[in-house]
Amino acid sequence: MRNLLKRLGWAGSISLFVIIFVALLAIFAPVVAPFPAQGLGTPNITDKLMPPSAEYWLGTDHLGRDMISRVIYGARVSLTTGILIVALSLVIGLPVGLLAGYFGGWIDDCLMRVTDVFLAFPALLLAVLMAAAMGPGMVNSTVAVAVTWWPWYARLARAEVLVLRGQPYVEAARVMGVSHGTIMLRHILPSTIRPLAVQAALDFGPALLTASALSFLGLGILPPTADWGQMVNAGRAFFPLRWWYAAAPGVTIFVLALAFSVLGDALRGDDGGQGDVAR
């Protein structure tokens, strides 16, 4: 652990602790949230739009729900959505890049032309259009964002495979009659994991922001489930007089996205820049 923190540097280490702290809050939300029932959506009309105080440290929303509890429960949705977006993008993009880079020729041409079609559209615009077409919901918004992101992982995986497939140990395995599937899974795939993992860490912040943007537009998870983007949208109607309503989830989104970006940069520096891919 000490060696990891040393490689990450002070900024990367702080970011890692921030991410772990938020993740622990999300996991133990029923225990650490001051008002768990309000975090789940139970209204408390008698205390609506209360400013920050000793009882409600970040105030309450228009239904009287404690903002700290809502933010903590919202971390569950936001972190889960970000993880699913990055994981689904990897699941789609990694096999495409692996096959295109290893076999080359017409397989490479066909797969990369499909990839270019998705890259021709602005990612956020395409995600909004797909989410609007499929309807609001956590699953639909996650799929909508992942479908627009997988081409970047395909391109990165392909670039790594193009370098690895000419290595002597790969050529030796091919001469010995090892099957293409075994070569890709045992000799090439493990070497592509690190740069892809670095890129995934870099992408988690933008994934969180994109998912929050869809929720802000009403295309994410629906109330009463707590979601940071949805909370910012509800709070803007009361801004700036009730500034805490939009500020609490907005600042949380900013801090967590920044933490993932700094951590990704620290990992990329330790990786020698191999995980970088231009967007």
Side-chain angles (χ1 to χ4, degrees):
M1 184 64 178
R2 183 178 300 176
N3 292 333
L4 173 62
L5 297 179
K6 185 177 180 180
R7 290 199 301 268
L8 292 177
W10 67 270
S13 299
I14 293 175
S15 299
L16 178 61
F17 282 120
V18 169
I19 293 167
I20 293 174
F21 177 71
V22 175
L24 290 176
L25 288 179
I27 293 172
F28 298 103
V31 178
V32 299
F35 301 92
Q38 296 178 23
L40 290 171
T42 303
N44 179 31
I45 302 300
T46 57
D47 291 335
K48 64 180 181 179
L49 295 176
M50 294 287 289
S53 63
E55 183 178 8
Y56 303 110
W57 290 2
L58 293 180
T60 62
D61 62 12
H62 68 292
L63 295 177
R65 298 171 296 193
D66 176 51
M67 289 302 300
I68 287 184
S69 300
R70 296 290 288 171
V71 168
I72 290 175
Y73 272 88
R76 288 184 159 188
V77 174
S78 297
L79 290 176
T80 301
T81 302
I83 292 172
L84 290 177
I85 289 173
V86 174
L88 186 56
S89 300
L90 276 169
V91 168
I92 300 173
L94 178 56
V96 172
L98 191 62
L99 292 173
Y102 181 80
F103 289 107
W106 67 269
I107 296 178
D108 184 21
D109 290 338
C110 292
L111 293 176
M112 287 302 100
R113 295 302 76 77
V114 173
T115 301
D116 291 340
V117 169
F118 283 90
L119 294 176
F121 296 92
L124 181 57
L125 177 59
L126 183 57
V128 169
L129 292 175
M130 291 191 61
M134 292 187 294
M138 180 177 174
V139 174
N140 290 345
S141 61
T142 299
V143 172
V145 178
V147 166
T148 66
W149 280 32
W150 69 265
W152 302 107
Y153 290 95
R155 289 167 64 93
L156 177 58
R158 175 180 177 272
E160 293 294 326
V161 174
L162 286 175
V163 175
L164 294 170
R165 72 177 185 180
Q167 295 298 313
Y169 65 90
V170 175
E171 294 291 344
R174 189 178 293 114
V175 170
M176 292 173 61
V178 178
S179 66
H180 295 307
T182 301
I183 292 175
M184 286 189 288
L185 293 177
R186 296 187 59 182
H187 300 287
I188 294 180
L189 180 61
S191 298
T192 67
I193 296 300
R194 185 171 182 179
L196 287 171
V198 172
Q199 189 62 42
L202 281 168
D203 282 346
F204 197 96
L208 176 64
L209 290 173
T210 304
S212 298
L214 292 181
S215 295
F216 181 86
L217 297 173
L219 300 174
I221 198 165
L222 296 175
T225 304
D227 180 87
W228 293 341
Q230 172 201 116
M231 293 162 65
V232 172
N233 183 37
R236 69 188 178 93
F238 304 94
F239 193 84
L241 295 179
R242 274 77 175 184
W243 54 268
W244 60 87
Y245 194 163
V251 171
T252 306
I253 293 172
F254 170 77
V255 170
L256 192 58
L258 179 62
F260 273 105
S261 296
V262 173
L263 178 62
D265 283 335
L267 291 173
R268 181 174 59 183
D270 182 55
D271 188 49
Q274 295 180 14
D276 189 23
V277 58
R279 282 187 180 272

